[in-house]
Amino acid sequence: MNDSLTTEVAGVRLKNPFIAASGTAGYIHDAPQILSLPSFGGAVTKTLTLLPKEGNPQPRVWETASGILNSIGLENCGVDSFVKEHLPRLRITADLVVFVSVGGEDPNQLCTVLERLAPYTQHFDSLELNLSCPNIKSKSMISQSPSRTERVVQLAKSILPKTPIFVKLTPRVSDILKISEAALEAGANGLVLTNTHPALALDRRTLKPALGGVFGGLSGAAVKPLTLFTVFTVYQALRCPIIASGGVCDESDAIEALAAGAAAVQLGTANLVNPGAIDELVENLKRNLAQRGFSSLKELVGFAHQP
Amino acid sequence: MKRVKSKVLANLRCADDAFILRLDVQNSAHSAMPGQFLMLHIPNGRTFLRRPFSIADSEGGEITLLIREVGEGTRSLRALKENTPLDIIFPLGRGFSIPHADKVLLVAGGIGVSPLIFLIKFLRARGISTTLVFGADTARHLYLSDHLERLCNRTVFVTEDASSTGRGTAVDAAAKLLEQGERFDFLYTCGPTPMLRAVSELAKKFHLEGEASLESRMLCGIGVCLACSFKIENGRRLKICSEGPVLPLSAL
């Protein structure tokens, strides 16, 4: 292990800053070898809901200029099956930090999921509360409302008081600071900034929505400047633990996100397009840091804010 | 399943809308089975999502793809020169099973013939008799028909515009063979999903077991992203990329 790449976000220690994003690592133990998951600092499970979800109709993905629209629709096996089939097998190596992602539209159902997980906290290190999936049918996402965000985080914290909780927010709000503050004041240990951007693609031939679920979430290189904007803004105002998510494709992107204020970064789209690239990214990051004269990753976090 | 640095060995037009791409995979320890596929990165500087392609042949460190030009990505592939490096992930998915059989029926629709070409070669090497029913909209799109005629024990070509010997669809022609009392031990099919469902019905009617190779839009191709999730007959969902693309006909 190379210590210069270790990082800590809200007390969660990672051997390197790369985290495999939710939906790109399956349920961790079942991820194909080609992904090289053990080389990541951490990995997030597919988002869990109370009941199994079938997800959205096809097509579920659409390529756009430097980005992807996805509308998977939270297809997952439901918490009961997860607890039985996957939870005891999440720890594939001693040093891969395991994040369980929990989401859904209904706060009560979401809390029930957390209650079902509560007796088994030894199997995971941290919780990612997905309050921002754009591909579900409700009128708004929980993280579009400061009061709903606050309430859900408070409940989550009361159910899992000892588990570090990261709240994954949507960028589609008028004031990201208000939502961030609400989450943190309610007890969130950190923020994941951000989920995909609600977006639309039309099929050029038919001029109808390209995705079966009509709208999708935009990710990939196209959204990196938007992620940097959000991370920078929130770090500047709140100096809180942040995991950047959105458009990080290589080590240079990761360095920028860290400089903007993130302490770790998620790889999503990049992970799906170039599975296994992580090993090279880790090496490149090490070299790039040395070339820039940083002796550790920690010196880099928030660098863009220094005078 | 491995990421492999490949290169173009040959790029040949074989129909007004299709071409053959031969790739070098010498440096891969893996070889493909009929029905498996690869994910290919199109080096045109614009498309960055990999695209899935069936493997039409695999032998001696080479892979052959039969590709129909349908959009920007496949047009870019047609323009690739010899020796262009290509970044591929292969072999992917579950291929066809090879049953103990004397005589099999293969039903192809359009570009769906691609994985069946490899399969036919494989079956023939095992002494299994192959009857191919191949349907397309027009005779020009009965890809590699001369080659297939030589490769199979029997071929039936049909087109919707009657520009070939028979008029109609591959499903109609296959039904006719079965109704005439011809017996087969197993059935394979590949083509558009509605066609596969019709073939599945046909197989059920004639108590014939078989397999279908499904086509799907994919993102990762390795069983992670759920872009290709497909609901099978019993309500369960499968990932076409990793639990398919070949499924039992009864699952459709």
Side-chain angles (χ1 to χ4, degrees), chain B residues 5-158:
Chain B
K5 288 200 192 317
S6 170
K7 68 174 182 194
V8 177
L9 292 172
N11 189 342
L12 310 161
R13 180 161 291 292
C14 66
D16 62 342
D17 68 342
F19 60 98
I20 288 169
L21 201 60
R22 274 177 44 223
L23 306 179
D24 177 16
V25 288
Q26 295 279 3
N27 60 3
S28 164
H30 300 266
S31 62
M33 290 292 287
Q36 290 192 296
F37 68 100
L38 55 74
M39 295 292 286
L40 186 158
H41 177 255
I42 300 170
N44 64 2
R46 293 185 301 279
T47 42
F48 70 97
L49 286 195
R50 291 168 192 272
R51 301 291 196 270
F53 293 100
S54 293
I55 294 171
D57 198 7
S58 166
E59 197 181 333
E62 275 184 43
I63 280 181
T64 304
L65 308 176
L66 170 62
I67 299 173
R68 189 162 69 101
E69 283 179 63
V70 287
E72 190 189 347
T74 43
R75 271 198 298 279
S76 302
L77 288 179
R78 173 63 194 120
L80 293 182
K81 301 267 185 290
E82 266 177 47
N83 291 318
T84 309
L86 277 182
D87 174 352
I88 65 173
I89 300 174
F90 110 107
L92 295 169
R94 285 171 37 147
F96 293 107
S97 55
I98 309 296
H100 292 287
D102 293 325
K103 194 176 170 194
V104 301
L105 175 64
L106 301 106
V107 184
I111 196 66
V113 76
S114 172
L116 299 183
I117 301 172
F118 187 14
L119 175 65
I120 291 165
K121 194 175 137 185
F122 207 81
L123 294 169
R124 200 183 133 126
R126 279 151 189 77
I128 299 171
S129 167
T130 53
T131 298
L132 170 69
V133 175
F134 184 5
D137 55 346
T138 185
R140 292 195 314 282
H141 299 155
L142 290 169
Y143 307 115
L144 306 177
S145 53
D146 291 348
H147 175 65
L148 286 162
E149 219 161 6
R150 285 194 300 276
L151 202 60
C152 298
N153 295 81
R154 184 177 171 199
T155 46
V156 178
F157 296 122
V158 287

Side-chain angles (χ1 to χ4, degrees), chain A residues 62-64 69 199-211 214-215:
Chain A
W62 200 265
E63 181 166 355
T64 62
L69 254 70
L200 175 70
L202 295 183
D203 183 313
R204 275 188 203 167
R205 274 181 310 120
T206 62
L207 298 182
K208 303 284 185 209
L211 293 170
V214 183
F215 300 118

Side-chain angles (χ1 to χ4, degrees), chain A residues 190-242:
Chain A
L191 304 173
V192 180
L193 302 172
T194 65
N195 208 316
T196 56
H197 297 247
L200 175 70
L202 295 183
D203 183 313
R204 275 188 203 167
R205 274 181 310 120
T206 62
L207 298 182
K208 303 284 185 209
L211 293 170
V214 183
F215 300 118
L218 180 65
S219 65
V223 307
K224 188 186 82 175
L226 303 170
T227 303
L228 291 180
F229 170 81
T230 308
V231 169
F232 189 97
T233 308
V234 172
Y235 186 83
Q236 189 172 45
L238 306 175
R239 303 276 157 166
C240 61
I242 296 171

